[in-house]
Amino acid sequence: MPKSIADSQSRTNRERTEATRLALIDAARALFVSKGYGDTSTPEIAVAAGITRGALYHHFADKRDLFRQVLVREAETVAADIEAATPRQLTPREALLEGSKAYLSAMSVPGRTRLLLIEGPAVLGLEELTAIDEATSAGSLRQGLEKAGLGKGEVSLDALSRLLSSAFDRAALEMDAGADAQEIHSAMRWLLEQALGPEPRRKPAA
């Protein structure tokens, strides 16, 4: 078989495999949000994705593994939204404030707070969920705090990052429960500004 044909078939197989995987993740997400993890079965997910149950287990070890991949994608999407909102030309202070706003906006996507902050800890456990969080949005927060110079040797940056991350998670939960989004955004911005201190005066242009 000519190499070009073999390469084309290989790409087609990879694309088909990835399409099936994404279909399962999409179907699982919808069911986990609407019914909850405990009340969702793998046969239901397979039917919703339009594939066989055997194909589901070809891609994922079990329902928990599939659930974890759903959460990883959600967390990665949140991190991508934060990155998009914090271009390099922003100052560290501006990037931290804009990134924090982007986090709360990203968490307002229907079902995301339930998945990441309610179902996630219950199903995966705090340690595993924290690892996912620290590899994505929490990692972004820590980097932002470090670049903005918060703590400066006075407190543990890791501890500060964890505590602020918890505050943002609580803010997301408040909004998900129906709290006024603008009030929550304003309160979290105020909290960060208090931690950041007065904004440095810009030097006048020469």
Side-chain angles (χ1 to χ4, degrees):
M1 180 184 297
K3 186 176 185 299
S4 59
I5 295 177
D7 288 344
S8 177
Q9 289 181 344
S10 178
R11 283 196 302 273
T12 300
N13 289 337
R14 286 198 303 271
E15 290 167 357
R16 188 181 299 113
T17 296
E18 183 62 15
T20 300
R21 182 176 177 277
L22 290 176
L24 284 164
I25 290 175
D26 286 339
R29 185 196 191 280
L31 287 167
F32 290 146
V33 169
S34 64
K35 300 183 63 176
Y37 178 85
D39 290 331
T40 298
S41 67
T42 52
E44 284 180 290
I45 296 171
V47 169
I51 65 166
T52 66
R53 190 180 180 190
L56 185 154
Y57 286 110
H58 173 74
H59 291 276
F60 302 98
D62 50 27
K63 186 174 73 167
R64 186 181 185 280
D65 182 35
L66 175 52
F67 180 74
R68 185 182 188 283
Q69 292 308 311
V70 169
L71 264 59
V72 167
R73 190 178 68 168
E74 294 294 310
E76 288 176 346
T77 300
V78 172
D81 285 354
I82 293 171
E83 184 175 356
T86 53
R88 292 183 179 180
Q89 63 264 31
L90 296 182
T91 65
R93 182 189 184 96
E94 291 169 340
L96 186 58
L97 292 171
E98 289 302 311
S100 300
K101 179 181 176 182
Y103 170 79
L104 292 177
S105 295
M107 290 299 289
S108 68
V109 171
R112 184 167 286 162
T113 294
R114 175 174 180 173
L115 287 170
L116 290 175
L117 303 182
I118 300 174
E119 294 273 14
V123 176
L124 299 183
L126 186 58
E127 183 177 352
E128 189 169 354
L129 192 67
T130 298
I132 295 173
D133 191 32
E134 290 181 347
T136 51
S137 57
S140 299
L141 176 60
R142 190 190 186 287
Q143 290 174 9
L145 294 173
E146 186 173 18
K147 289 179 180 178
L150 264 72
K152 297 180 180 178
E154 299 176 22
V155 297
S156 164
L157 185 59
D158 287 336
L160 182 61
S161 177
R162 288 195 300 270
L163 290 172
L164 280 174
S165 179
S166 295
F168 276 103
D169 288 349
R170 179 53 189 257
L173 287 166
E174 291 279 347
M175 290 194 301
D176 190 61
D180 184 273
Q182 187 56 50
E183 287 185 359
I184 297 296
H185 276 266
S186 296
M188 291 308 301
R189 183 180 180 89
W190 180 89
L191 178 62
L192 273 182
E193 287 176 339
Q194 300 310 301
L196 286 164
E199 186 172 6
R201 294 184 179 180
R202 296 180 183 272
K203 294 181 179 180

